[in-house]
Amino acid sequence: MIYILLSDSFLPYIPRWREFYGFKRTESIIQNLKTKDKRYITPNTLKISSNQLFSLIEKRGFILQHTKVFDAFLIKKAPYNIVSTPEYLTGLFSIHVLTSIIPPFSLELQKNDLVIDMAAAPGIKTSLLAQKLRNRGIIIAIEKSKARIPALRANISRLGVKNTIILFLDSMKLSFNDIMADHILLDAPCSGTGLKVEKNKRSSPRKMRDILRNTIIQKRLLEVGWNHLKPRGTLVYSTCSLEPEEGEIQIHNFLNRHTDEVEVLPISFDIGIAGNQTNWKFPLNSQLSKTKRIFPDSGIDGFFVALLRKVGQ
Amino acid sequence: MNSFKILSDDEKNLVKELINSLLQNNEFESLLEQFQLLKIEHHRIEVYLVPLEFIPLINLIKIHLKDNQIIQIGGKLGFFINERFFIGIESLSYLTPLTDRKLILNSQETTKFLYGESFAVADQDKSISYLNSPIIICSDQHIPIGIGILKLKEKICFLKNLVDVGIYLRSEKSAFRIGK
């Protein structure tokens, strides 16, 4: 009964989710995918502290609640659209799902690092990288969609990001053989099955073959990113998909292709479960225990994230 | 063709002239010791303040890419339209610390300014010395929010909005588009 409340495009996935995550977890996924997403804001620490932001926004009649895992606030009551506030226009905060925070904040950045963001629009994760770098170092923000570049440019301008080079480029074709990054952020294109139904803006329903197509793109992006990573550098890989082929299995296969070259590092956020707990046809690489499988919840999309360090030569 | 290029001397002079008149000093020169001015042509010619440490990297990037693939470098200073330079709203975070000539609004005035209203300013004493030429406007949080001009009308100083940070929302698709 509950399934008819979901978009039709999700129906083929439900038996799969039961297989991977169990019956009870799948029921919870379905419940959460159809809930209305709540709005969260995070302070732009290039301009303001968390406490200052809280005080300013509450003075305008908004009621905020600090979240447990992230430095972010849930908007509990909004007298009007928060985008209309001077604080938003002056770039004191950004609005996004909480899972966006995990990939950029999983990287241990030093002030002069070179970071490549391989799929940068709309720029929220890029701006979080800039905050971690305190606007130092250099971020190469790559976006292949011409239509999405204005949003990327507007967001990083509004948020006061100054350490960025924006490139209009398909990251799959990246071949800077003389440019190696300290860190790579790859929030890869995916089927988006972890997104709340209300955010499902696709014109055509997702099909099973989309997963296969996406895994090919993700594999290529992972290899290109890895080739542009310095020894000892780190690559954070994430998708907003609930499909293991786009998460756990993608990383399992990557580890098999790069035996002895990769150390999987733990994700410091206390959220989700270890990636190796997902049921699959064969046992997953033990290093998957340090990745995170995150299920949809309030302010949180279904998500997978892995942090990989290049070891050896 | 929108490859980035160094500004010509004439273009540099136009940029300096306008910025010096906004700041009412020559402090912009000190900024140019840390940054290079580069231009990139989109639907208009955009001028960027590029940190000097970026230069070796962007010269390497340039080897690998087509001219139209480098979209933005560092912070935007402004843009040329028909050989006339306009200061970009993004530049205010660089320029505001270089001058004392700025008007700090209270909370209510900040909201009015961001809604594009003209209004009589609370601080009439300070405002009277800034009449008739563009001035940087800051919010009650001392964050630059735009450029305005003060005009005297029946012995009262009114602030008129010339440009403000609302452009990030109002003009996202036009002001930040790429290509011709």
Side-chain angles (χ1 to χ4, degrees):
Chain A
M1 188 63 186
I2 207 167
Y3 304 152
I4 59 169
L5 299 170
L6 279 173
S7 156
D8 286 346
S9 62
F10 281 93
L11 292 176
Y13 295 90
I14 291 170
R16 285 167 49 85
W17 294 342
R18 282 186 181 155
E19 189 184 331
F20 305 142
Y21 309 122
F23 189 88
K24 201 173 167 187
R25 180 92 67 185
T26 300
E27 292 301 303
S28 164
I29 289 171
I30 295 163
Q31 287 283 359
N32 279 296
L33 282 176
K34 67 185 174 63
T35 56
K36 192 170 167 55
D37 214 6
K38 291 175 182 169
R39 289 187 111 181
Y40 290 83
I41 63 170
T42 54
N44 175 8
T45 54
L46 293 173
K47 296 188 175 188
I48 198 165
S49 72
S50 192
N51 289 341
Q52 287 171 315
L53 179 67
F54 182 87
S55 159
L56 283 173
I57 299 295
E58 288 231 319
K59 270 184 200 163
R60 296 198 181 274
F62 290 80
I63 296 178
L64 304 178
Q65 182 181 40
H66 200 270
T67 63
K68 285 176 189 164
V69 181
F70 305 96
D71 185 15
F73 299 102
L74 165 68
I75 304 169
K76 290 198 80 176
K77 187 182 162 196
Y80 50 92
N81 191 341
I82 200 160
V83 169
S84 310
T85 58
E87 288 76 16
Y88 180 80
L89 294 173
T90 49
L92 300 188
F93 65 88
S94 48
I95 305 168
H96 47 85
V97 291
L98 294 173
T99 31
S100 302
I101 298 172
I102 299 173
F105 276 63
S106 294
L107 295 168
E108 286 294 325
L109 306 182
Q110 304 297 317
K111 64 179 181 181
N112 292 319
D113 281 348
L114 172 63
V115 186
I116 299 178
D117 183 349
M118 294 179 75
I124 298 301
K125 293 184 187 77
T126 314
S127 72
L128 293 170
L129 289 171
Q131 288 176 44
K132 272 209 88 176
L133 286 164
R134 305 301 308 155
N135 246 340
R136 303 283 298 272
I138 303 176
I139 301 168
I140 299 177
I142 302 173
E143 178 52 47
K144 76 165 188 176
S145 163
K146 190 175 182 179
R148 301 188 76 201
I149 283 182
L152 168 63
R153 299 179 75 200
N155 271 324
I156 69 165
S157 296
R158 181 179 64 82
L159 294 162
V161 175
K162 297 171 179 172
N163 60 343
T164 302
I165 299 170
I166 298 179
L167 304 180
F168 172 36
L169 173 68
D170 183 347
S171 282
M172 285 205 287
K173 295 175 183 162
L174 188 67
S175 58
F176 294 163
N177 48 21
D178 41 12
I179 299 172
M180 301 293 270
D182 298 286
H183 306 278
I184 306 268
L185 189 148
L186 173 54
D187 186 39
C190 67
S191 59
T193 53
L195 295 176
K196 300 282 173 79
V197 173
E198 67 176 349
K199 284 190 284 195
N200 178 3
K201 290 175 184 167
R202 285 171 180 244
S203 52
S204 58
R206 296 172 183 85
K207 294 191 170 64
M208 296 301 285
R209 67 168 180 266
D210 289 343
I211 298 174
L212 178 63
R213 191 172 55 92
N214 287 325
T215 56
I216 295 166
I217 294 168
Q218 291 151 3
K219 178 184 172 187
R220 174 76 183 142
L221 288 170
L222 265 168
E223 294 299 334
V224 170
W226 196 250
N227 289 340
H228 288 83
L229 189 63
K230 286 180 187 171
R232 305 296 299 163
T234 54
L235 182 153
V236 64
Y237 171 86
S238 58
T239 60
C240 53
S241 164
L242 289 167
E243 312 317 310
E245 295 93 329
E246 301 183 84
E248 295 87 338
I249 306 309
Q250 187 66 259
I251 296 303
H252 172 88
N253 292 338
F254 182 80
L255 294 172
N256 282 350
R257 291 196 301 276
H258 295 270
T259 320
D260 302 331
E261 288 177 36
V262 192
E263 179 188 1
V264 181
L265 300 176
I267 301 292
S268 56
F269 291 93
D270 184 17
I271 186 171
I273 62 167
N276 65 337
Q277 290 183 33
T278 299
N279 294 321
W280 194 247
K281 301 158 199 161
F282 47 79
L284 297 176
N285 188 304
S286 62
Q287 291 212 74
L288 264 292
S289 64
K290 293 175 194 159
T291 64
K292 289 275 189 184
R293 163 57 63 195
I294 296 162
F295 298 101
D297 200 346
S298 173
I300 291 171
D301 287 329
F303 207 67
F304 174 83
V305 59
L307 181 60
L308 315 173
R309 173 182 280 157
K310 191 182 247 188
V311 293
Q313 288 301 308
Chain B
M1 298 285 281
N2 64 354
S3 176
F4 62 87
K5 294 188 180 99
I6 294 171
L7 266 65
S8 68
D9 287 344
D10 284 349
E11 287 169 329
K12 254 187 209 168
N13 287 337
L14 284 171
V15 170
K16 285 182 192 174
E17 204 176 288
L18 187 67
I19 289 178
N20 290 347
S21 81
L22 177 70
L23 303 180
Q24 302 268 303
N25 63 36
N26 294 317
E27 290 297 314
F28 183 56
E29 292 289 345
S30 65
L31 207 60
L32 295 181
E33 289 168 13
Q34 306 155 53
F35 295 92
Q36 183 155 14
L37 290 177
L38 295 179
K39 61 179 177 179
I40 300 179
E41 192 173 346
H42 292 299
H43 60 288
R44 54 196 184 191
I45 296 170
E46 297 180 351
V47 178
Y48 288 89
L49 270 171
V50 180
L52 295 178
E53 61 267 27
F54 276 41
I55 303 297
L57 179 66
I58 57 175
N59 283 329
L60 277 177
I61 290 174
K62 196 177 178 181
I63 295 167
H64 298 286
L65 297 182
K66 291 179 191 164
D67 287 338
N68 62 356
Q69 291 182 291
I70 300 174
I71 302 301
Q72 185 166 320
I73 309 168
K76 193 159 86 180
L77 188 64
F79 49 90
F80 283 100
I81 296 177
N82 297 331
E83 298 177 4
R84 194 173 158 208
F85 182 67
F86 294 83
I87 295 173
I89 195 78
E90 301 92 332
S91 70
L92 296 183
S93 60
Y94 296 98
L95 301 180
T96 307
L98 302 179
T99 183
D100 294 328
R101 192 176 180 278
K102 52 198 161 201
L103 186 64
I104 295 164
L105 305 180
N106 63 34
S107 175
Q108 283 179 330
E109 289 175 319
T110 297
T111 304
K112 282 182 184 172
F113 183 80
L114 291 174
Y115 283 138
E117 290 177 29
S118 290
F119 55 92
V121 288
D123 192 348
Q124 289 284 319
D125 291 345
K126 191 171 182 187
S127 302
I128 202 90
S129 56
Y130 295 149
L131 288 175
N132 300 325
S133 67
I135 182 171
I136 294 172
I137 307 299
C138 295
S139 71
D140 51 326
Q141 298 301 310
H142 295 232
I143 291 172
I145 54 172
I147 298 175
I149 190 163
L150 289 154
K151 296 275 185 189
L152 202 59
K153 198 171 159 187
E154 294 171 1
K155 296 185 181 175
I156 296 172
C157 279
F158 279 81
L159 176 62
K160 187 182 173 204
N161 176 322
L162 297 178
V163 63
D164 68 79
V165 289
I167 195 169
Y168 298 132
L169 282 185
R170 291 192 297 266
S171 310
E172 178 184 295
K173 285 185 180 151
S174 53
F176 296 96
R177 78 176 192 267
I178 59 170
K180 303 287 180 185

